[in-house]
Amino acid sequence: GSGESTLLQLLAGFVEFSGQYRFAASLISPDNRQQLWPQIGYLTQTPELLAGTIADNLRLGRPHLTDKALFAALQQVGLVAELGPGLLSQQLGEQGQGLSGGQQQRLCFARLLLADQPLWLLDKPFAELDSDTVAELSTLLAGLSVGRTVLIASHQQQSLAFIQNRLTLAAGRLVALA
């Protein structure tokens, strides 16, 4: 609880705020924050999945995506090797029931990859993952983050060696910038 999740929600415009900030040279204020939403990929610390197939969950808001694109994203996050080639039609229960916590997080990560927005806000994306999967996804994220802005709230510093700038928060205050 240093306020890192709240900071990401604030930057995304998901919480009420007063004042303004800039994104891509555009001034963002409470009145126009909705214009920012289509440019943001947001990965929460708790996977947000609906009852339905894995394909349904990947296509949320993007029904035009092909099975080939879905399969490629799932392969990038390591789910194809774990769940097999028929995973697109695998049924999930509410909140991703039927997958482990780590698999749920990787499924949400695959959805982020498919969205391809210029700003990614990741809230503790590796919290439910084992160290090998963290290393794999960290390497993948390092490559995919080129050319976009990625803000990651995390307590796992070792997995984020590719990050260029770091903010350290304590008790809701910025205490270091490196």
Side-chain angles (χ1 to χ4, degrees):
S2 295
E4 62 271 6
S5 297
T6 302
L7 176 62
L8 291 182
Q9 292 171 1
L10 176 70
L11 292 173
F14 297 154
V15 295
E16 294 299 319
F17 67 97
S18 61
Q20 55 196 15
Y21 60 93
R22 291 189 180 278
F23 173 73
S26 295
L27 196 60
I28 305 299
S29 69
D31 296 330
N32 69 351
R33 65 187 174 177
Q34 293 85 358
Q35 76 181 19
L36 182 60
W37 292 340
Q39 299 179 59
I40 295 174
Y42 191 80
L43 186 62
T44 64
Q45 58 183 307
T46 305
E48 295 180 354
L49 298 167
L50 305 174
T53 66
I54 286 178
D56 293 338
N57 276 279
L58 289 173
R59 285 191 174 108
L60 287 174
R62 290 174 291 288
H64 65 280
L65 291 172
T66 65
D67 284 356
K68 184 178 178 180
L70 302 182
F71 196 79
L74 291 168
Q75 197 159 27
Q76 283 184 293
V77 299
L79 283 176
V80 173
E82 271 186 41
L83 300 176
L87 77 161
L88 289 179
S89 59
Q90 181 176 335
Q91 288 287 328
L92 302 178
E94 286 296 323
Q95 300 176 351
Q97 189 175 34
L99 297 177
S100 71
Q103 290 169 334
Q104 291 172 11
Q105 192 68 357
R106 285 187 285 154
L107 179 57
C108 291
F109 200 92
R111 189 168 54 205
L112 179 74
L113 298 179
L114 290 162
D116 195 33
Q117 285 113 334
L119 173 61
W120 285 354
L121 303 174
L122 311 179
D123 194 359
K124 300 174 192 74
F126 306 133
E128 295 289 329
L129 305 176
D130 62 75
S131 60
D132 290 339
T133 304
V134 168
E136 291 170 15
L137 289 180
S138 183
T139 300
L140 175 64
L141 185 57
L144 294 174
S145 65
V146 174
R148 73 179 81 237
T149 300
V150 180
L151 299 174
I152 303 173
S154 179
H155 298 281
Q156 297 170 304
Q157 300 299 318
Q158 71 281 4
S159 61
L160 301 171
F162 66 93
I163 299 294
Q164 295 174 351
N165 299 301
R166 295 175 192 266
L167 303 173
T168 303
L169 301 176
R173 301 220 182 266
L174 178 64
V175 294
L177 174 62

